[in-house]
Amino acid sequence: MAVSDLDRLILLLAKLPGLGPRSARRAALQLIKRREALLEPLAAALAAAAQNVRVCSICGNLDTIDPCGICADPRRDRALLCVVEDVADVWALERSGAYRGLYHVLGGTLSALDGRGPEELRIAPLIARAGAGGIAEVILATSATVEGQTTAHYIADRLAGLAPSVTRLAHGVPVGGELDYLDDGTLSTALKARRAVR
Amino acid sequence: MAVSDLDRLILLLAKLPGLGPRSARRAALQLIKRREALLEPLAAALAAAAQNVRVCSICGNLDTIDPCGICADPRRDRALLCVVEDVADVWALERSGAYRGLYHVLGGTLSALDGRGPEELRIAPLIARAGAGGIAEVILATSATVEGQTTAHYIADRLAGLAPSVTRLAHGVPVGGELDYLDDGTLSTALKARRAVR
């Protein structure tokens, strides 16, 4: 079968995270079958995203405007700055609805293995933002992995004297989590960080 | 966040089979980050597929030409006709490399529950192809489900007197399958259909 257009579509779909060769084939068939409801809108949405979505020059978030909607929102608390690894983390925190400050997207973690040093991340712009004043608290919300925590430590050191308060997210038992299924590290952290009930 | 272009892209990606809301977000981020390597080629491939891929008027397969590459291939055995439910089944049989005849895509199975009768499937064109002569064997390769087998029985009845031979795929132990994990139906079918070793 010399279905070059179809084959190319399947190959590209298979590169998306979460889609293997088999589900890419199913997705391509679905797209062709639902041409007007799915294929054409998706092609248009991709073209619109390619044209309009850009990186916010202040925080590194993705948006169709620069500065992004969060940086430009006058209702956000400008004294709070939350440092995250990736744009996906901004979205996760926004979905939680629990945070009303600003963000700073690093673009990854420090990694000796992958050869990612501080220059590869957006750390210098973060120091500059903190140094410009007006920020009361920097929340380090990197992942609870070795690399995420190394990055958080490095940034905390660099922020010394620049931000009145530097905090990190609490570690402990996830809401809905059963003790029996938790790893030892989480359990001992949760025990050490126990809080008085009354 | 009023990221309308991004949100629309995520909503559409989430409609693809195999992608939920979470993986659609990851896929959208990946697309934006790899604009030149992934997003733009995918948009182009979708546009090309929308413009060029069509349903073969003979067999119902999808291709950029009509009749499709298989129907037009002079090396295929025109006396063999394999009846399948879906275009994905054509692809699966082609990948196996074990079949050199022509296909007929039904577009689904008969289903009393979903209200799909013979008119909803490409059964009339199949009868017409068989009635036109030149076909020695019709292979019914519908799924081994109740609906697939009902459809196969219905088609076998309709083909009476039109095709010299009507066959179906063998049922039995899948290659690589362990007896212990097989359902009773497959096991008893495989036992009944046992073949002499020598």
Side-chain angles (χ1 to χ4, degrees), chain A residues 4-22:
Chain A
S4 56
D5 283 330
L6 256 178
D7 288 344
R8 200 172 322 120
L9 179 58
I10 294 170
L11 273 176
L12 286 164
L13 286 171
K15 289 186 186 172
L16 294 179
L19 283 184
R22 191 191 176 80

Side-chain angles (χ1 to χ4, degrees), chain A residues 1 5-6 9-10 12 25 29 31-33 35 38-39 41 45-46 48 50 52-53 62 64 86 88 91 95, chain B residues 1 5-6 9-10 12 25 29 32-33 35 39 41 45-46 48 50 52-53 62 64 70 86 88 91 95:
Chain A
M1 296 209 300
D5 283 330
L6 256 178
L9 179 58
I10 294 170
L12 286 164
R25 280 196 299 270
L29 267 183
L31 281 164
I32 301 278
K33 281 182 191 164
R35 196 171 296 218
L38 198 52
L39 194 155
L46 283 168
N52 300 328
V53 175
L62 292 171
T64 46
D86 201 90
W91 297 356
R95 282 198 303 279
Chain B
M1 297 208 298
D5 283 329
L6 256 178
L9 179 58
I10 294 170
L12 285 164
R25 282 196 297 271
L29 267 183
I32 301 279
K33 281 181 192 165
R35 195 171 297 214
L39 194 154
L46 283 168
N52 300 329
V53 175
L62 291 171
T64 47
I70 297 175
D86 201 88
W91 297 357
R95 282 198 302 281

